[in-house]
Amino acid sequence: MVGGLTLAVPIEAIREVVPRPAALLPFPAVRDEVIGAIDLRGAIVPVLDPVALLGVPSPERCPVILILRDANRVIGLAIESIAGVLPLDAADMTQLDLRDETDTFGQPGGARASRAALIRAAFVHGDTRGLVLDIAALAALEAMPLAIERSTATIRPGSVTTGVPTLLFTVGAARLGLAARVIEASVPEQTIAPSPVEDDLWVGWLTHNGRRIPVVDTLRLLRLGECRRTQRTAAVILRLPSGHLVGLQIDAVNDMLRIASDEIKPLQQFVVGNRALFNGLYGTDAPSLLLDPDAMQADAQLGTVGRICDKTEAGTGSRAAADVERERTNALRAFLLVRLADRRFAIPLSQVEEIIATRTSGLGLTDRTQGIDDYIIHRGRGVPLIDLHRVLGIADGGNGAPFTVLASADGNQAGFMVDELCAVERSSVQLLSDTGGDRAMARIAATITTRGATYPIIDLRAAIETLCPPPPPPPPSPSPSPTEDVRDDQSLAFEKPLQTSS
């Protein structure tokens, strides 16, 4: 919402939503719409004024900045609020032609022409009416300053990460990491309800999958300061051994990668913060503090908050709520959520062996009908790179897939190229009745539903088995003649008389 106008933006074009700081950073006025910049965890991102950009009435205040993404470039747009998420299809939208080819002096272009190019459709969905903002057209405006995402700029060819799947996120100025095996889900920013008790650690409740989950101040838990108290926050939901869930307050998820034990640098014996919860440092230029997953699960403070939550939500059934939650958790499976172009898919985390930066060999050993794009040498053997865009019939946009997910089946290993590693989620599986047609190779036979969206599951092992059919069975051995003795030594041994000694 901005200036009384409802704008719709494709979900894939939204990187995140952040509060507007009290003052924007100075930024060169390359365009009239640029009103400053923000420091987004060490990256300078220009911010646009919606009044100048869209010609809407001046709103009283724009306390929110919407970080928009075009490929690997980002820019901020000041807005009043987020109104919600709507599924829009062709029946909901009216395509618009708002061309204004001359400015007030009769010359081509001008502010009105640029403004018209940003709106590609209007929509009606129930009682909601608004306009669809074209992010590609926004990024294409002359001299529009966009920041290059550092996560893309720093990918080095041949860089490899192996080991424990780990979610990296930021809380204030702290960069943290936590093993995915203890994470129930990462939750985008949402409004939280205040906690029912006055407590410095327990800051409120959030709702996830129909459950109320307590949220704690992550920095206060780690004794690294305290989080900024706001009515909205994102969170990483920690799963405790008892089956309780507790949310760790965060600002944003940065990445998901596998970290080997030899990549973790020890903190020695110095005591800083809540030292018992720390596992070490990962990275050099901008290191992340890795949390000890077992210590986090065993923390007494988190256990207390989780138990309080369980008491307030216990049902009237014959079993304790914790027992019910343990059964529910055991029924869930962990998935790596990835992006291919403008679509998102789920890969069973149990099938993910390594995640490496995509590299090419230029061998020319390809089979486009099966999606094999190249072969690389990895850990002493030739590994095919599978282009999932081609396999699933998705346009790749020509930007290349920066990440490769490695998986194996029956000793055969393949790499599957993806555009983005989104998150790790746990969810139950819904089977699909239609498993044929063009989707057969990737074996999309099931889906998961999380964060209010449905993700098709890609079975990487089944895809490898399709590429590597089993060898033909050996020819049958000739049948023995009736006069042949077919007993083996083992059967003869059982038929010998039992020998005893006196």
Side-chain angles (χ1 to χ4, degrees), residues 458-471:
I458 303 177
D459 190 335
L460 301 186
R461 289 176 182 164
I464 295 174
E465 290 169 355
T466 301
L467 293 170
C468 304

Side-chain angles (χ1 to χ4, degrees), residues 410-433:
D410 298 326
N412 298 303
Q413 187 181 61
F416 297 85
M417 298 184 290
V418 301
D419 294 331
E420 183 181 10
L421 310 173
C422 300
V424 171
E425 295 278 1
R426 283 176 169 78
S427 177
S428 56
V429 176
Q430 300 90 39
L431 298 179
L432 300 177
S433 58

Side-chain angles (χ1 to χ4, degrees), residues 68-292:
L68 301 172
R69 170 190 286 140
D70 177 65
N72 66 331
R73 305 175 300 170
V74 295
I75 195 166
L77 177 65
I79 61 172
E80 294 178 65
S81 66
I82 295 292
V85 178
L86 292 177
L88 297 180
D89 54 32
D92 298 316
M93 292 189 285
T94 303
Q95 300 301 315
L96 299 177
D97 184 0
L98 301 178
R99 291 174 296 174
D100 187 355
E101 299 179 352
T102 61
D103 61 15
T104 55
F105 299 98
Q107 298 298 318
R112 289 189 296 169
S114 298
R115 191 177 301 154
L118 302 181
I119 305 300
R120 61 183 176 90
F123 70 89
V124 176
H125 189 281
D127 296 331
T128 304
R129 296 167 177 79
L131 301 174
V132 179
L133 184 62
D134 191 330
I135 304 305
L138 171 64
L141 291 179
E142 183 180 0
M144 180 60 69
L146 294 101
I148 304 297
E149 287 198 273
R150 292 184 303 173
S151 59
T152 302
T154 56
I155 294 175
R156 299 185 303 275
S159 63
V160 179
T161 55
T162 60
V164 178
T166 303
L167 194 71
L168 300 182
F169 49 93
T170 54
V171 186
R175 292 182 294 272
L176 304 174
L178 183 61
R181 65 180 174 84
V182 299
I183 296 176
E184 175 78 8
S186 57
V187 180
E189 185 179 88
Q190 65 173 262
T191 301
I192 60 173
S195 63
V197 297
E198 289 292 336
D199 187 83
D200 291 336
L201 182 65
W202 184 5
V203 298
W205 300 88
L206 62 78
T207 301
H208 178 70
N209 289 342
R211 295 190 57 195
R212 289 202 310 166
I213 297 172
V215 179
V216 300
D217 186 322
T218 307
L219 295 181
R220 188 174 289 276
L221 172 71
L222 303 178
R223 300 174 192 165
L224 298 178
E226 61 181 26
C227 296
R228 186 168 53 90
R229 295 299 175 95
T230 63
Q231 294 181 342
R232 296 177 60 84
T233 188
V236 167
I237 299 179
L238 174 70
R239 189 175 61 257
L240 302 180
S242 60
H244 305 133
L245 301 177
V246 176
L248 304 176
Q249 187 177 0
I250 70 170
D251 290 328
V253 171
N254 296 333
D255 205 349
M256 205 294 294
L257 69 164
R258 299 174 76 92
I259 298 178
S261 58
D262 59 0
E263 296 178 297
I264 303 175
K265 306 302 185 258
L267 292 172
Q268 305 183 70
Q269 297 301 313
F270 300 102
V271 179
V272 179
N274 194 348
R275 181 65 177 80
L277 299 181
F278 302 155
N279 197 26
L281 297 175
Y282 170 77
T284 304
D285 296 333
S288 295
L289 174 63
L290 301 185
L291 306 180
D292 187 317

Side-chain angles (χ1 to χ4, degrees), residues 366-388:
T366 63
D367 186 338
R368 299 303 172 88
T369 61
Q370 300 190 93
I372 298 178
D373 195 69
D374 196 0
Y375 262 77
I376 61 171
I377 302 299
H378 183 70
R379 301 193 183 279
R381 57 179 172 178
V383 176
L385 295 182
I386 310 299
D387 187 348
L388 285 175

Side-chain angles (χ1 to χ4, degrees), residues 319-330:
R319 293 180 296 172
D323 294 335
V324 175
E325 175 60 22
R326 274 193 293 271
E327 292 183 9
R328 187 189 74 87
T329 301
N330 291 336

